[in-house]
Amino acid sequence: MNTLKPEDAARQEYRAGFVTDIESDTLPPGLNEEVIRHISARKEEPDWLLEWRLSAYRHWLKMREPHWAHVEYPPIDYQAISYYSAPKAKGDGPKSLDEVDPKLLETYEKLGIPLREQEMLAGVAVDAVFDSVSVATTFREKLAEAGVIFCPISEAVREYPELVRQYLGSVVPVQDNFFAALNSAVFTDGSFVYVPKGVRCPMELSTYFRINASNTGQFERTLIVADAGAYVSYLEGCTAPMRDENQLHAAVVELIALDDAEIKYSTVQNWYPGDERGVGGIYNFVTKRADCRGARSKVSWTQVETGSAITWKYPSCILRGDDAVGEFYSVALTKMRQQADTGTKMVHLGKRTRSTIVSKGIAAGMGQQSYRGLVRIARGAEGARNYTQCDSLLLGDKCGAHTFPYIEVKEPTAIVEHEATTSRIGEDQLFYCRARGIPEEDAVNLIVNGFCKDVFNELPMEFAVEANRLMEVSLEGAVG
Amino acid sequence: MLKIENLHVRVEDKDILKGINLEVRAGEVHAIMGPNGSGKSTLSNVIAGRPGYTVTEGRILYQGRDLLRLTPEERVWEGIFLAFQYPVEIPGVNNTYLLKAGVNARRRHQGLPELDAMDFMRLVREKAKLVELDPSFLARGVNEGFSGGEKKRNEIFQMAVLEPTLALLDETDSGLDIDALRIVAHGVNQLRSPERAMVLVTHYQRLLDYIEPDVVHVLADGRILKTGDAALAKELETRGYDWVRKEAGI
């Protein structure tokens, strides 16, 4: 009789694991003020930004790497990492896709992101970030007609310095945490979005991040500002080649929503997870935070985290404006020896602010999975409400799921609800499906997808299909 | 169609079935009755291939083949269906989707083209009528928030869609009120045919007021102690099980 063999989960393939053979301009490993000056000069940045980077670096030197997360990894040698790598450009940056190196277009095509096609078929505007630089942004003219700015952040620094200076670091200050400080010192590229007052962005915006070069870190910085009454939906996807050494990815994402603005931010993270022995894989140490600055503003984070050797990530909302709404929908899958410590922070400052947290963790193989969430309701946040639902599903008996909820309520009129469940993938559910003629492996996928449905429903259509597919790929061979 | 020879089954170091012999022919309806803990559910679970049961001796032949070599899903593809005593809930998985995945897996196995969504919905609507199942149930999660009666009706509905050759109904009558019992029994009777065999596992006689069996077996202490016709069920109703035990010298 067949039984579940979770250790076989390791046999699945990582489809994005290829390397693009492209000449790149890479800084030698090491970090010091010279490196930062070099990055800043390479990007022709104004003095204020260089100073900002240097102050972040000086803070970072005094900070210690955090170790409170439920993850284990050998010490990181920050001097062994290269902090800048760019595909060698011919002259200036590309003006259109025709000027983009065909090898890069091919890379994105292999990843299932045909930039050219997405340009032809109306629907999604894409910014593609390859190692440290943005290589292509599609649909820019059409967006410009609506007044929406969507461009690499390095370009925004040159073209819209006032906007960048006003908002950069206003949600995640340089000294916020160890990884955020490091990012502020060395960030190379990422996306910048500004949606002006009252504008509903006419299409989904998306950025695909790709780490290609070896021994490099990726430190992208994303800044999204929705002005009063604006709406934008932004998607982010990430992949990397299979390599035996660990690579560091320390990103910072800042979202700002003014009065009545709404930002929907969706992530499908599929960085290389390492192999079944735990060799290689991306260290994904990311700071994502939204400031719901305006009254009735709303930010919704949706994430599907299936990749990375280690994930340390807590997309958060500061609910500053009265009646602001924060949402966090998360599916995290850890298999083989992957570890994830992920969750959210909802900080209620304004009156009648509301937040919803739905977290679904799935652990297979020897994967370790932790939900860590903070709900803080400050005094004066009258009538604030939070609802948290946090479910874990275990496949096999060598994996683990943990829940660390922190609740701090200083406002007597607030209502906070927390529900949590942990279940093993039901032998009964599995047998029920098989007794209806469904092969065991399909049955596991069916049950896991059902478990994640509340979160997948929040994803934009294009991503929901991808997320479903990704979960299937990830569970290929999860049963014997 | 089904031939069980000297079947011994162990669950976690405990011998549950101790030498079952049973033969079921096409077109027959057999009732297996017995007190609680006699091994009735074990028998239907072993036939359906539920993990956790160890066959220590004997064999099960189905259409002349060794059934125990097949996985649970392969048994479904060969025409076996188990209506569960306790149907489980599978949150977020749509009822229709589950059934369509099962039907199409079997069609693939049989070398038939898969049914598309339109054809499948037509089939499903027709079968839902049979057990008076509200079509809105089809769009809900598998057994999610169903009452006990609704779960059992859903089982019979699934049986109607999968059109098995051998149907095992495990305590389908338990937890049903009289109206639900009548509806479920009606569904089962509609599915009786000369090509199809059914095995009803039940504790009480009342289901047999609605579905008349051809053969009745009394299962106690892991063995079939007595076999008779529908009259035996009536006798059990009035006299209980003890006399059968005594007769068998237990």
Side-chain angles (χ1 to χ4, degrees), chain A residues 1-3 427-442 446-451 453 472, chain B residues 48-51 71-73 76-77 81-82 84 88-93 97-98 101-102 105 142-143 155 158:
Chain A
M1 219 156 278
N2 281 357
T3 47
E427 284 290 332
D428 288 349
Q429 292 177 333
L430 207 52
F431 178 62
Y432 191 83
C433 294
R434 299 178 75 191
R436 296 298 171 258
I438 299 166
E440 189 171 24
E441 199 169 288
D442 296 354
L446 197 71
I447 295 166
V448 169
N449 273 309
F451 176 76
K453 197 175 169 193
E472 278 173 27
Chain B
R50 188 178 205 123
T71 65
E73 52 271 31
V76 176
W77 301 339
F81 179 88
L82 170 66
F84 283 68
V88 293
E89 300 190 9
I90 310 177
V93 176
Y97 189 79
L98 173 102
V142 175
N143 292 318
E155 294 294 295
Q158 293 181 348

Side-chain angles (χ1 to χ4, degrees), chain A residues 241-319:
Chain A
M242 294 162 72
R243 291 186 190 282
D244 281 348
E245 73 272 16
N246 297 106
Q247 282 179 283
L248 180 62
H249 171 252
V252 172
V253 175
E254 295 177 281
L255 311 183
I256 295 119
L258 301 181
D259 286 354
D260 299 291
E262 181 177 349
I263 301 173
K264 192 171 165 58
Y265 192 106
S266 313
T267 303
V268 172
Q269 184 265 107
N270 186 28
W271 296 119
Y272 178 53
D275 68 11
E276 67 274 20
R277 290 161 300 145
V279 175
I282 302 289
Y283 290 166
N284 191 34
F285 300 143
V286 173
T287 305
K288 290 183 166 176
R289 196 174 302 155
D291 191 348
C292 293
R293 223 165 265 186
R296 297 167 303 277
S297 56
K298 178 177 176 184
V299 167
S300 185
W301 298 101
T302 305
Q303 62 172 23
V304 176
E305 305 277 321
T306 59
S308 298
I310 296 175
T311 298
W312 179 97
K313 180 181 170 190
Y314 316 90
S316 305
C317 295
I318 313 293
L319 302 169

Side-chain angles (χ1 to χ4, degrees), chain A residues 347-421:
Chain A
V347 179
H348 293 252
L349 303 175
K351 294 184 175 65
R352 297 171 305 276
T353 45
R354 281 171 291 143
S355 63
T356 303
I357 299 170
V358 177
S359 163
K360 305 277 183 176
I362 301 143
M366 297 177 75
Q368 288 294 326
Q369 177 82 232
S370 301
Y371 167 80
R372 190 181 300 277
L374 168 69
V375 175
R376 177 183 290 153
I377 299 190
R379 186 160 316 202
E382 289 165 21
R385 295 193 70 143
N386 162 264
Y387 172 74
T388 300
Q389 185 194 336
C390 172
D391 300 321
S392 311
L393 188 66
L394 302 172
L395 279 77
D397 53 11
K398 294 196 187 75
C399 52
H402 318 270
T403 306
F404 304 99
Y406 304 84
I407 299 171
E408 299 172 17
V409 179
K410 298 215 171 79
E411 170 54 50
T413 60
I415 299 173
V416 175
E417 292 172 79
H418 183 97
E419 288 178 28
T421 65

Side-chain angles (χ1 to χ4, degrees), chain B residues 104 107-108 111-115:
Chain B
N104 279 333
R107 290 181 69 93
R108 277 198 301 277
L112 296 170
E114 294 187 23
L115 292 181

Side-chain angles (χ1 to χ4, degrees), chain A residues 98-413:
Chain A
D98 296 330
E99 293 177 29
V100 174
D101 190 318
K103 267 191 189 160
L104 288 173
L105 292 180
E106 208 179 289
T107 301
Y108 285 92
E109 216 142 290
K110 268 202 225 170
L111 292 170
I113 314 149
L115 295 174
R116 208 170 277 280
E117 228 168 88
Q118 293 203 328
E119 194 184 43
M120 307 279 286
L121 304 163
V124 184
V126 180
D127 184 16
V129 176
F130 193 85
D131 289 335
S132 300
V133 292
S134 168
V135 292
T137 310
T138 61
F139 272 120
R140 295 174 62 166
E141 279 154 32
K142 186 152 186 239
L143 289 167
E145 275 171 38
V148 174
I149 301 168
F150 176 41
C151 68
I153 198 159
S154 50
E155 187 183 318
V157 168
R158 293 194 299 271
E159 305 288 324
Y160 314 98
E162 298 79 20
L163 278 176
V164 175
R165 200 170 179 178
Q166 184 183 350
Y167 291 107
L168 186 73
S170 72
V171 185
V172 180
V174 292
Q175 72 280 16
D176 188 81
N177 68 67
F178 182 84
F179 296 113
L182 178 63
N183 173 285
S184 302
V186 303
F187 78 88
T188 42
D189 226 327
S191 299
F192 175 74
V193 176
Y194 175 77
V195 188
K197 271 187 187 129
V199 171
R200 194 179 167 86
C201 186
M203 63 186 74
E204 308 266 356
L205 303 182
S206 74
T207 301
Y208 276 89
F209 294 99
R210 174 75 176 166
I211 298 177
N212 188 63
S214 60
N215 290 317
T216 56
Q218 190 173 46
F219 306 94
E220 89 261 5
R221 186 106 193 170
T222 298
L223 178 57
I224 299 177
V225 182
D227 213 323
Y231 169 85
V232 62
S233 169
Y234 179 91
L235 326 173
E236 164 196 65
C238 332
T239 54
M242 294 162 72
R243 291 186 190 282
D244 281 348
E245 73 272 16
N246 297 106
Q247 282 179 283
L248 180 62
H249 171 252
V252 172
V253 175
E254 295 177 281
L255 311 183
I256 295 119
L258 301 181
D259 286 354
D260 299 291
E262 181 177 349
I263 301 173
K264 192 171 165 58
Y265 192 106
S266 313
T267 303
V268 172
Q269 184 265 107
N270 186 28
W271 296 119
Y272 178 53
D275 68 11
E276 67 274 20
R277 290 161 300 145
V279 175
I282 302 289
Y283 290 166
N284 191 34
F285 300 143
V286 173
T287 305
K288 290 183 166 176
R289 196 174 302 155
D291 191 348
C292 293
R293 223 165 265 186
R296 297 167 303 277
S297 56
K298 178 177 176 184
V299 167
S300 185
W301 298 101
T302 305
Q303 62 172 23
V304 176
E305 305 277 321
T306 59
S308 298
I310 296 175
T311 298
W312 179 97
K313 180 181 170 190
Y314 316 90
S316 305
C317 295
I318 313 293
L319 302 169
R320 204 181 297 277
D322 289 346
D323 300 289
V325 175
E327 294 174 337
F328 174 74
Y329 299 97
S330 170
V331 164
L333 170 75
T334 49
K335 56 187 184 293
M336 300 187 287
R337 287 176 188 265
Q338 281 177 282
Q339 308 171 65
D341 192 303
T342 184
T344 183
K345 287 190 276 186
M346 293 289 176
V347 179
H348 293 252
L349 303 175
K351 294 184 175 65
R352 297 171 305 276
T353 45
R354 281 171 291 143
S355 63
T356 303
I357 299 170
V358 177
S359 163
K360 305 277 183 176
I362 301 143
M366 297 177 75
Q368 288 294 326
Q369 177 82 232
S370 301
Y371 167 80
R372 190 181 300 277
L374 168 69
V375 175
R376 177 183 290 153
I377 299 190
R379 186 160 316 202
E382 289 165 21
R385 295 193 70 143
N386 162 264
Y387 172 74
T388 300
Q389 185 194 336
C390 172
D391 300 321
S392 311
L393 188 66
L394 302 172
L395 279 77
D397 53 11
K398 294 196 187 75
C399 52
H402 318 270
T403 306
F404 304 99
Y406 304 84
I407 299 171
E408 299 172 17
V409 179
K410 298 215 171 79
E411 170 54 50
T413 60

Side-chain angles (χ1 to χ4, degrees), chain B residues 216-230:
Chain B
V216 175
H217 308 274
V218 179
L219 181 64
D221 305 310
R223 272 182 283 263
I224 288 178
L225 301 185
K226 198 171 178 67
T227 296
D229 58 14

Side-chain angles (χ1 to χ4, degrees), chain A residues 6-165:
Chain A
E7 59 272 24
D8 294 347
R11 284 199 218 121
Q12 59 88 31
E13 274 176 52
Y14 181 72
R15 288 189 197 172
F18 60 89
V19 179
T20 305
D21 179 19
I22 193 160
E23 228 185 313
S24 59
D25 166 16
T26 305
L27 274 185
L31 181 56
N32 52 49
E33 293 203 1
E34 267 323 291
V35 167
I36 293 165
R37 285 175 201 281
H38 184 95
I39 293 170
S40 190
R42 189 70 61 102
K43 302 220 161 252
E44 298 167 25
E45 287 175 355
D47 289 343
W48 68 264
L49 190 51
L50 174 61
E51 283 312 314
W52 191 81
R53 286 177 180 278
L54 290 172
S55 87
Y57 176 65
R58 288 164 197 152
H59 276 291
W60 180 75
L61 286 175
K62 284 180 261 164
M63 298 169 97
R64 304 182 73 171
E65 199 183 295
H67 284 286
W68 42 260
H70 190 74
V71 295
E72 276 176 32
Y73 55 93
I76 298 172
D77 181 357
Y78 291 91
Q79 296 303 332
I81 297 169
S82 163
Y83 289 84
Y84 185 83
S85 176
K88 251 184 197 161
K90 298 167 183 110
D92 284 333
K95 299 280 182 295
S96 75
L97 282 182
D98 296 330
E99 293 177 29
V100 174
D101 190 318
K103 267 191 189 160
L104 288 173
L105 292 180
E106 208 179 289
T107 301
Y108 285 92
E109 216 142 290
K110 268 202 225 170
L111 292 170
I113 314 149
L115 295 174
R116 208 170 277 280
E117 228 168 88
Q118 293 203 328
E119 194 184 43
M120 307 279 286
L121 304 163
V124 184
V126 180
D127 184 16
V129 176
F130 193 85
D131 289 335
S132 300
V133 292
S134 168
V135 292
T137 310
T138 61
F139 272 120
R140 295 174 62 166
E141 279 154 32
K142 186 152 186 239
L143 289 167
E145 275 171 38
V148 174
I149 301 168
F150 176 41
C151 68
I153 198 159
S154 50
E155 187 183 318
V157 168
R158 293 194 299 271
E159 305 288 324
Y160 314 98
E162 298 79 20
L163 278 176
V164 175
R165 200 170 179 178

